[in-house]
Structure formats: C-alpha cells, structure tokens
Amino acid sequence: MADVGYNAEFETLAMPLFDSLYNFAHWLAQDRHDAEDLVQETYTKALKGFKSFQTGTNFRAWMFKILRNTFLTSRAGLSYANSMPLEPADEDQLLPLSPATPETLVITYDLGEALQQAIEALPVPFREVLLLADVEEMSYQEISETLAIPMGTVMSRLARARKAARQKLVESGYEGRKGKVAGR
Amino acid sequence: MNCEAWQTKLDAYADAELPPETMRSVAEHLSGCPACTAEMAQILQLKRVTASAGKRYTAPPELRARVRQQIAGKPARGGWRWALGLALAAVVVIGLGLAIILPSRTAARNQLIAGVVDRHVTALASASPVDVVSSDRHTVKPWFAGKLPFTFNPPDLTGSGYTLVGGRMVFVDGEPGAHLICDWRQHRISILVFQDQGDFGRLLPSADRPWRSRAFNVETWSRAGLRYFIVSDAGPEDVNTLAELWKKANS
C-alpha cells in the first residue's frame, strides 16, 4: 500500500503548484515548448526524489528549486549560466544602476503590459528573484532556499531587480506615452 | 543616517522582512521624509503591478493531464510491494471476471498497436513523410532534442542495407514520440519511439514480441523506460534485423 500512498501524497502536494510552476518555467525559458518540457521533467524528477524530501521542510521551495536546476542544465538555460553572478561582488556589475537615476513611474491601464516587457528584458538572476518575491509571494527565506543563495544576497538582488525593472520602464520611453505621472 | 542609507532598506521594508525594531525606525523615518515616501510608493506600486502582470502564462490543459498521468502511472521504488498486494487482490477478481477483462485488454492492446501502424500508413501515403530529411543519424537525433522529453540512439546503419530517410514527431494515445523512417530495398520501415508509460507500459509486454497487424509486421520491445516499435510490410526477419540493430544501439 506504501506506493499508492506515496504517489497520492506527492500528487496532493505537487499538483496545486502546477500553474505557478508553469508560469515560472515560461518566464525563465521564454518559450512554450521549453516551458512544457521543463514542467514535465520537474515533476518526473520530483516524483523520483520525493523519498528524499524531508517532511516539514518547504515543499514549494523544493519544487521550484528542482525546476530551476532543470532549467539551468537545459538548452534554454545555457545562456543563463553565462550571466549568472557567482560572487556577491559581481552583482554590482550585473546591471549598473545609479541610486540617483531619475525615474518616473506611470499609472495607466497598460502599465502591466509594459512591466511584462520590462521583466522579460531583465537578466535571469533578476527576473527569477522578482517573480518569486512578488508573484509567488515567497519569503526571503524561501527564496534563499530555492535559489541556494544567502538571505543577504536575496535582499540586495531583489532591490536591484526592482530598480532595474523600473529603469527598463523608463528606458522603454513608457512615461512619454501616457500623461499621468506618479512620483518623481 | 541619510536618505540614501534609508533607501537601501525600503525594499525589505515593503516586504516586511526587516527585524521589528528596524521596521519601526523605517516607518518613523518615512513619516517625516517625502523623498523616501515617494520612493516607497513606487516600490509598492511596482510590487502590486508585478503581482498581477507576473501571472502571465497559463499551462495547456494537456500538459496538466500528462503530468497527472505521469504521477499516477509511474510507481516509484518499493512499488513491488504494492504490486504484490494488488496482484493478490487481482487473483480473486480475475477468478470472477476473467472472461470480461481479458478480451477488453486484448482489444485495447490491438487498438494501441493499430494506432502505431496508422502512423506508418500515414507516412507511406504522405508526400513529405519526414520533417527532418537526412540519412545521417547525427543530424536526425539532435533534431528531436528539446521536442521530446527523452532521448535515444539511432543505430549506425552503414553497410546494413538499411537507409535512414529522416524523422518527424508523432503522437499516439496522447504520447509524444519520435517517428524515424528507413528504406530497405523497395520497402519502407517505420521506427517509433515513445516513453514506456501510460497505455504503452500497461498493455504491452516488455519482452520482444513480433505482431501482425493489417498485413504489416510489427516488432515491439521496451528498454530503459522507452518503448520501441518497428512497422513494415517487409518480411518479419528484415524487421527483426533492424530491431536488433536498434536494441544494440540502445542497450
């Protein structure tokens, strides 16, 4: 009976994450077919490794971690490997941003669409941390587990990712198209 | 502390990820600093819009079905204990229902094989039976990379009398697979490779087994999680020779 329980327990835990995992996979791979392959492979690996999963630890972080590692070793992930910051010191070179950058965020109905393009244009290390924090609403602790980086790096990388997204919105000339401006 | 220093804490403040006393001191600073408050407003706005704009992609329902099937159909290690229990129970059930179960299982298996043979017939009838045209296995194999959730090794056919024509993607019973086509004298031979799961794993024997379906010779076997079919109107021994070459290349 152990096995029926094993697969059923896995399904109960893993299937609620399906939509989130697919969304994240598509954001990473930026291709529907690659995303589908990623999700399927993630579930295969997770089911196989479910025995080694420690009850009481974070299952969601575990699943996202498997997906991300699968992405890193995939064809689509190869370019990412080159842009992956290895040392905290590299973070500063990833995308130079001056704290004094003048920026303007615009409130309009298609801000969402402009933001999607901005997130798409971000390097993967920024894109993934932003999505895990603000779409998946993961805690810094969970993000740290998922990405296998220290909490301090999560904090600094997330701040830089948000700045970079805002910077991209400004660069895309977004504020020029609509009139209603918030902040400065 | 100047505003620049405060602003390094604003993201973590927006995420409520600072220690309680730091949360309090940031809040205090914000109440008296318009510049940091404006910055905070932008961070919060970005967070809010990202939360909705980031939910951008919806998975196709077929993928969900495939993943579910994958979970249900692949007992992991330790499965024999469950299988043994089921087998014992099945003995009782089979004793009662043998006459009903067996014919329906045979029918399902024949239907599955007929589905595979259909792909061969379709290829015979098609003006362009392959999507990747090449006699070079080193061209054909990489073409499938990223299209299929598995990989396999086409054998070296040099000097065997068989010629690789090319390959394409197929679906049988909802399973994606590779369809390769070879020529042998005047005969066309199809090689189809799938993951040995779902109905393939359930209905077909893992050992080599020749079949005959609608005047075509079919050979099928399972190895290392993959299900192979060879279909042709060539003689059973010619089908078998090619099957042996494939088994050797994928042993």
Side-chain angles (χ1 to χ4, degrees):
Chain A
M1 297 308 284
D3 231 32
V4 175
Y6 178 92
N7 285 26
E9 190 189 337
F10 176 77
E11 184 170 357
T12 309
L13 288 171
M15 283 318 285
L17 299 174
F18 180 81
D19 290 322
S20 294
L21 286 167
Y22 179 83
N23 183 54
F24 189 58
H26 202 150
W27 270 112
L28 286 183
Q30 310 219 326
D31 175 271
R32 191 168 65 83
H33 294 291
D34 287 344
E36 288 186 26
D37 290 349
L38 264 178
V39 169
Q40 201 163 348
E41 205 175 332
T42 299
Y43 275 89
T44 307
K45 285 181 181 168
L47 177 60
K48 233 183 249 168
F50 188 47
K51 274 213 160 58
S52 69
F53 171 74
Q54 307 275 318
T55 326
T57 56
N58 191 316
F59 184 74
R60 181 165 70 144
W62 185 71
M63 287 293 287
F64 272 84
K65 188 176 182 172
I66 293 174
L67 188 139
R68 181 174 170 274
N69 289 345
T70 307
F71 168 70
L72 291 184
T73 52
S74 72
R75 188 167 45 92
L78 284 180
S79 55
Y80 168 77
N82 300 327
S83 69
M84 179 67 180
L86 297 173
E87 300 294 327
D90 291 347
E91 301 258 308
D92 290 341
Q93 281 134 42
L94 206 57
L95 209 125
L97 276 174
S98 134
T101 303
E103 53 188 53
T104 318
L105 265 190
V106 186
I107 306 170
T108 69
Y109 286 110
D110 54 7
L111 176 57
E113 203 178 301
L115 185 59
Q116 285 177 341
Q117 285 165 17
I119 297 173
E120 212 168 66
L122 289 178
V124 174
F126 282 174
R127 204 188 311 149
E128 62 184 7
V129 81
L130 190 66
L131 293 166
L132 293 178
D134 291 343
V135 180
E136 296 310 321
E137 295 180 347
M138 281 190 182
S139 67
Y140 288 6
Q141 177 62 42
E142 273 185 285
I143 298 174
S144 154
E145 282 174 39
T146 304
L147 303 182
I149 53 174
M151 292 269 280
T153 309
V154 173
M155 196 180 295
S156 59
R157 198 182 286 176
L158 178 59
R160 299 188 70 79
R162 289 196 183 126
K163 281 211 172 64
R166 285 159 65 182
Q167 174 84 7
K168 297 262 182 208
L169 281 177
V170 173
E171 278 168 12
S172 68
Y174 185 75
E175 84 279 22
R177 296 206 304 273
K178 303 273 174 176
K180 207 173 161 194
V181 173
R184 128 69 217 194
Chain B
M1 201 155 37
N2 60 19
C3 281
E4 209 170 291
W6 282 111
Q7 288 189 0
T8 60
K9 299 187 189 303
L10 292 185
D11 280 280
Y13 177 81
D15 296 325
E17 289 273 0
L18 293 169
E21 65 275 20
T22 320
M23 290 294 287
R24 271 195 299 275
S25 54
V26 173
E28 210 170 288
H29 173 74
L30 284 176
S31 67
C33 177
C36 286
T37 305
E39 175 71 11
M40 191 70 228
Q42 295 208 353
I43 291 172
L44 289 173
Q45 188 197 4
L46 186 81
K47 251 178 90 68
R48 199 177 56 246
V49 183
T50 304
S52 57
K55 292 191 183 89
R56 185 183 192 182
Y57 302 109
T58 312
E62 309 85 68
L63 178 67
R64 184 190 295 272
R66 226 155 51 222
V67 168
R68 271 193 193 285
Q69 192 185 14
Q70 194 179 326
I71 296 172
K74 258 194 189 168
R77 284 190 307 135
W80 63 272
R81 238 173 273 156
W82 163 75
L84 190 65
L86 193 73
L88 288 173
V91 167
V92 179
V93 176
I94 285 171
L96 301 167
L98 197 67
I100 304 162
I101 293 165
L102 275 187
S104 67
R105 199 181 148 82
T106 308
R109 189 172 56 200
N110 288 344
Q111 199 178 349
L112 187 64
I113 290 173
V116 173
V117 170
D118 277 347
R119 299 305 178 280
H120 174 66
V121 175
T122 311
L124 289 181
S126 169
S128 53
V130 289
D131 291 329
V132 50
V133 184
S134 175
S135 59
D136 183 355
R137 66 197 169 116
H138 299 299
T139 305
V140 173
K141 184 186 167 183
W143 183 83
F144 287 103
K147 295 186 178 70
L148 290 171
F150 60 86
T151 180
F152 56 89
N153 293 317
D156 184 5
L157 297 175
T158 316
S160 66
Y162 298 92
T163 323
L164 184 61
V165 176
R168 66 170 173 181
M169 290 279 296
V170 280
F171 282 86
V172 170
D173 206 32
E175 288 286 337
H179 184 176
L180 290 97
I181 291 176
C182 279
D183 278 343
W184 164 253
R185 296 189 182 146
Q186 299 304 309
H187 302 284
R188 190 140 266 202
I189 306 182
S190 285
I191 303 101
L192 297 104
V193 189
F194 302 89
Q195 279 177 299
D196 201 18
Q197 59 189 23
D199 280 350
F200 290 117
R202 195 168 62 83
L203 297 171
L204 297 167
S206 60
D208 311 358
R209 167 87 200 256
W211 305 76
R212 226 171 139 71
S213 175
R214 285 181 287 162
F216 291 101
N217 288 306
V218 181
E219 188 146 342
T220 180
W221 70 96
S222 165
R223 190 129 325 163
L226 295 183
R227 164 63 58 179
Y228 299 82
F229 293 92
I230 296 198
V231 185
S232 182
D233 61 348
E237 61 286 351
D238 300 325
V239 168
N240 183 255
T241 308
L242 185 62
E244 290 307 322
L245 287 169
W246 269 83
K247 280 176 213 163
K248 215 169 137 193
N250 292 278
S251 59

